[in-house]
Amino acid sequence: PIIFLLAAIYFLVDAIFLTVAKPLGNWIAEHWITESLRVWIVSLSPYPALSLFALPLVILEPVKPIAAYLVGTGHIVTGLITLIVGEILKLVLVERLFSISRDKLISIPAFAWAYFKYCAAKDSVTSMEAWQVVRRWSVIAKYLIRSYALKLRAVQSLHRVNLQSR
């Protein structure tokens, strides 16, 4: 149960941040400055591509415990900012690198084995009823946050209009 809980929390945090990271990664991919970098990454053979893919994981995965330490020692805002920036950056980099070099990475037997085990574990966790409930709650929370933000913007706009008309 403890391992399941830790895995669920880990996947949940990544899923939450992926909702921001995916559009951001797509936006970055559309810009010309990344085209030459993409061409270089595509030109790499499988093992250098694996090294490049692992680099953001090795550098940015420790962000979670560092952020937890900061929050635990009373630096709540700094810890949360560290977590948010680190996770989004990690997910954007990993997602982009994986999408560019997926075929080369999958051609490495150990990577393919680990990737398919990861996919199986993720599918196992996400197919559980508890995960489905949490997923529904997250969709509801996202909807409520969006609707609250829209209402807040509308009130702020009305307030600005009222101040300008005086």
Side-chain angles (χ1 to χ4, degrees):
I2 293 172
I3 292 173
F4 169 76
L5 180 63
L6 292 175
I9 290 170
Y10 182 85
F11 287 136
L12 182 61
V13 168
D14 277 356
I16 289 168
F17 284 108
L18 196 57
T19 61
V20 174
K22 187 100 167 138
L24 182 61
N26 292 338
W27 179 82
I28 290 170
E30 292 173 2
H31 289 77
W32 65 269
I33 197 163
T34 61
E35 183 59 26
S36 59
L37 184 60
R38 189 190 69 73
V39 169
W40 175 72
I41 293 169
V42 168
S43 73
L44 294 174
S45 59
Y47 287 98
L50 177 62
S51 297
L52 185 62
F53 176 77
L55 192 61
L57 291 171
V58 169
I59 293 172
L60 295 170
E61 191 58 34
V63 164
K64 289 176 188 168
I66 291 169
Y69 172 77
L70 289 170
V71 169
T73 58
H75 304 282
I76 296 170
V77 174
T78 305
L80 290 176
I81 290 171
T82 301
L83 177 68
I84 291 168
V85 170
E87 276 300 297
I88 290 174
L89 185 60
K90 180 188 77 170
L91 289 171
V92 165
L93 290 172
V94 167
E95 191 273 328
R96 292 304 329 150
L97 288 170
F98 184 74
S99 68
I100 292 170
S101 56
R102 182 182 192 276
D103 293 337
K104 289 183 182 180
L105 293 172
I106 297 295
S107 73
I108 301 170
F111 185 90
W113 178 84
Y115 176 68
F116 291 121
K117 290 292 183 181
Y118 166 79
C119 289
K122 186 176 175 185
D123 290 344
S124 175
V125 170
T126 58
S127 68
M128 294 180 174
E129 188 175 335
W131 179 267
Q132 298 300 322
V133 169
V134 170
R135 181 74 182 125
R136 274 185 243 123
W137 289 349
S138 69
V139 169
I140 292 168
K142 191 162 112 176
Y143 172 76
L144 291 173
I145 291 168
R146 271 195 196 141
S147 65
Y148 177 75
L150 290 173
K151 287 177 187 176
L152 186 61
R153 285 186 198 145
V155 168
Q156 289 173 340
S157 295
L158 285 174
H159 184 68
R160 276 190 222 117
V161 168
N162 287 337
L163 288 176
Q164 290 174 352
S165 66
R166 288 182 184 182

